[in-house]
């Protein structure tokens, strides 16, 4: 538990942040993409909008599914093993749901994933889902960028449109199945077609026009709305974009986005830290303005330093870079159980363990115990 001194400092910082960002008004009743969200979904969205007045939530991809040296242990999480608390935000990845496969591209059984999503919700956490879907034109992976025109091919009239519809049906069936035993739809922050300002996925900037990107985003969201998926909150998340014009080049419109996101990683190496700090601040500066003018919350939807080689990365790099900005959450990527050095959260014995506990003890970082059940 954090100290009352910490809470006092938190209150002071909160007032400073409210003054600095001019957000000391109640944020409720904003228009969402889905005009008929479930009560829990609207409550969650309103709750997320209030978060920056307290600090920012911490998230971890696949937090409870596996970690370093383990997979499938009940109620385990590397983050919890280090600081005694679960993350507030949980990322999940549904690539290969489109194929009707029982397992994701990361070899996670979808029934298992559904269980973890329910557990996270019942624990009081927040779920977000990304979709590294295969390439519907070539049959290759999500990273197959050998051919342009894949987005065009899945739009209405395109050669792979029918195939894309079957993929969307499968995705929608999975999302529809995310319910509590009592039948309540679990609110999900859905984050499709991410990092499109880069060109490493088939929907990347060099592989489709801005108009095609906007069209496929809108088509996908309209499809999910027609399926009465009233539990979805939509997150837009380009990778680094040098200016707000770049950030908005492929923005599908205020009616199609609930949360402004941003994915960006600290590339390790000599210049990595400076570049990470500078670039992250560049983006967060203009996102702060965008978030205010559009009245939509902002988040760092993915980040991390692979293998966390800097022992003080959490407090000296991440916290110092982002803590002054009104972000609702920051999420680090997965602790892969089967890829060497592919981890972004500490585990017991990892070099940054002690620093992560300091990060946890910062009043502005919010983990599960501090947000528990507030959104329900
Ligand atoms: C990437 C890596 C891959 C993984 C993909 C989807 O960044 O972690 O190993 O397959 O995300 O989770």
């Amino acid at each position: 538990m954090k100290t009352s001194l910490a809470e006092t400092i938190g209150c002071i910082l909160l007032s400073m942040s409210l003054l600095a960002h001019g957000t000391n008004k109640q944020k409720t009743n904003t228009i969402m993409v889905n005009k008929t969200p479930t009560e829990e979904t609207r409550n969650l969205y309103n709750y997320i909008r209030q978060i920056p007045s307290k600090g920012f939530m911490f998230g971890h991809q696949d937090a409870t599914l596996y970690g370093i040296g383990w997979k499938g242990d009940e109620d385990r999480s590397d983050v919890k093993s280090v600081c005694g608390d679960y993350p507030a935000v949980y990322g999940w990845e549904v690539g290969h749901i489109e194929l009707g496969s029982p397992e994701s591209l990361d070899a996670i059984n979808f029934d298992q994933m559904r269980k973890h999503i329910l557990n996270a919700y019942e624990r009081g956490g927040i779920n977000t889902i990304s979709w590294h879907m295969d390439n519907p034109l070539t049959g290759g992976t999500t990273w197959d960028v050998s051919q342009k025109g894949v987005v065009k091919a899945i739009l209405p009239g395109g050669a792979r449109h029918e195939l894309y519809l079957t993929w969307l049906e499968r995705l929608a069936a999975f999302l529809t199945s995310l319910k509590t035993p009592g039948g309540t739809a679990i609110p999900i922050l859905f984050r499709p077609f991410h990092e499109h300002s880069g060109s490493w996925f088939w929907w990347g900037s060099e592989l489709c026009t801005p108009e095609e990107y906007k069209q496929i985003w809108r088509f996908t969201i309209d499809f999910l709305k027609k399926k009465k998926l009233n539990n979805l909150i939509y997150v837009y998340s380009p990778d680094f974009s040098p200016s707000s014009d770049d950030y908005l080049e492929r923005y599908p419109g205020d009616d199609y986005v609930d949360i402004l996101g941003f994915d960006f990683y600290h590339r390790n190496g000599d210049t990595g830290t400076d570049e990470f700090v500078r670039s992250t601040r560049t983006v967060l500066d203009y996102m702060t303005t965008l978030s205010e003018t559009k009245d939509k919350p902002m988040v760092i939807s993915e980040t991390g330093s692979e293998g966390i080689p800097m022992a003080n990365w959490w407090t000296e790099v991440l916290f110092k870079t982002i803590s002054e900005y009104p972000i609702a959450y920051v999420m680090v990527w997965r602790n892969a159980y089967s890829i060497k050095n592919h981890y972004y959260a500490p585990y017991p014995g990892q070099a940054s363990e002690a620093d992560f506990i300091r990060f946890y003890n910062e009043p502005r970082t919010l983990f599960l115990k501090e947000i528990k059940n507030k959104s329900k």
Side-chain angles (χ1 to χ4, degrees):
M1 285 299 284
K2 298 181 184 180
T3 64
S4 54
L5 172 66
E7 276 167 13
T8 313
I9 297 171
C11 279
I12 296 167
L13 278 173
L14 147 69
S15 321
M16 285 164 59
S17 140
L18 289 175
L19 286 171
H21 299 292
T23 51
N24 52 347
K25 55 180 189 266
Q26 279 293 304
K27 289 186 164 183
T28 50
N29 297 324
T30 189
I31 309 286
M32 295 175 66
V33 172
N34 188 311
K35 302 293 179 285
T36 53
T38 66
E39 194 188 335
E40 294 76 15
T41 309
R42 171 168 288 287
N43 287 348
L44 175 60
Y45 189 58
N46 283 334
Y47 182 65
I48 289 173
R49 287 156 52 79
Q50 309 283 350
I51 286 283
S53 64
K54 303 186 192 62
F56 58 89
M57 300 183 284
F58 181 78
H60 187 204
Q61 179 75 7
D62 283 352
T64 51
L65 278 167
Y66 54 78
I68 301 305
W70 63 275
K71 186 184 181 199
D73 301 8
E74 197 81 4
D75 296 329
R76 189 164 168 183
S77 138
D78 281 348
V79 166
K80 181 168 172 261
S81 299
V82 167
C83 69
D85 199 354
Y86 284 105
V89 176
Y90 298 74
W92 314 102
E93 166 53 44
V94 296
H96 286 187
I97 196 78
E98 70 279 6
L99 307 178
S101 160
E103 283 192 351
S104 76
L105 81 166
D106 298 322
I108 300 302
N109 180 282
F110 284 114
D111 292 335
Q112 183 78 352
M113 193 185 294
R114 185 185 298 109
K115 226 175 88 192
H116 282 249
I117 291 171
L118 173 63
N119 287 347
Y121 178 65
E122 295 205 316
R123 225 183 263 131
I126 296 172
N127 289 290
T128 173
I129 287 183
S130 56
W131 189 16
H132 286 74
M133 75 184 108
D134 270 3
N135 184 318
L137 185 60
T138 64
T141 70
T142 194
W143 296 280
D144 180 355
V145 290
S146 60
Q147 283 191 46
K148 296 188 182 200
V150 187
V151 171
K152 193 169 180 200
I154 60 171
L155 280 168
R160 290 290 190 274
H161 183 61
E162 291 302 317
L163 176 67
Y164 187 55
L165 290 179
T166 65
W167 286 14
L168 282 177
E169 288 287 352
R170 289 176 180 143
L171 171 76
F174 180 74
L175 294 173
T176 304
S177 76
L178 303 176
K179 292 203 163 90
T180 66
T184 303
I186 299 172
I188 300 290
L189 275 49
F190 185 51
R191 190 168 69 87
F193 300 114
H194 64 303
E195 298 175 13
H196 58 280
S197 51
S199 292
W200 42 88
F201 298 126
W202 54 258
W203 55 84
S205 64
E206 281 165 24
L207 293 110
C208 62
T209 66
E211 206 41 47
E212 286 163 357
Y213 182 85
K214 291 180 197 174
Q215 280 176 24
I216 198 58
W217 179 287
R218 292 178 192 146
F219 182 86
T220 302
I221 274 65
D222 286 341
F223 183 98
L224 297 171
K225 275 176 157 177
K226 275 188 220 132
K227 290 283 171 190
K228 302 214 176 349
L229 278 157
N230 298 328
N231 56 331
L232 301 185
I233 294 172
Y234 296 98
V235 187
Y236 174 75
S237 60
D239 196 81
F240 176 73
S241 307
S243 69
S244 63
D245 283 351
D246 295 294
Y247 183 90
L248 294 175
E249 191 201 38
R250 286 156 195 259
Y251 182 70
D254 291 341
D255 291 347
Y256 282 89
V257 172
D258 290 311
I259 294 180
L260 303 172
F262 161 52
D263 287 13
F264 192 60
Y265 284 82
H266 180 164
R267 313 262 165 229
N268 300 324
D270 288 349
T271 58
T273 305
D274 289 349
E275 195 212 315
F276 177 75
V277 172
R278 199 175 43 247
S279 301
T280 302
R281 287 197 174 136
T282 299
V283 177
L284 293 179
D285 278 337
Y286 68 69
M287 277 181 77
T288 301
T289 308
L290 281 178
S291 167
E292 278 171 14
T293 52
K294 292 186 177 300
D295 197 17
K296 294 182 191 292
M298 64 192 253
V299 302
I300 302 182
S301 31
E302 278 185 42
T303 191
S305 163
E306 190 175 31
I308 330 165
M310 287 176 69
N312 58 359
W313 190 75
W314 301 99
T315 57
E316 288 300 312
V317 180
L318 185 65
F319 189 79
K320 282 195 176 159
T321 306
I322 70 174
S323 66
E324 298 295 307
Y325 293 95
I327 58 170
Y329 69 80
V330 59
M331 189 180 85
V332 298
W333 203 240
R334 66 201 195 103
N335 280 12
Y337 58 92
S338 62
I339 306 174
K340 201 169 182 306
N341 208 45
H342 191 53
Y343 63 87
Y344 297 86
Y347 55 90
Q350 201 275 333
S352 71
E353 184 182 9
D355 193 56
F356 189 80
I357 295 168
R358 285 192 287 274
F359 175 78
Y360 173 74
N361 284 325
E362 286 286 352
R364 281 186 66 73
T365 60
L366 306 171
F367 286 65
L368 187 78
K369 283 178 190 163
E370 288 141 303
I371 72 142
K372 211 173 156 82
N373 293 326
K374 301 267 172 48
S375 59
K376 285 198 196 173

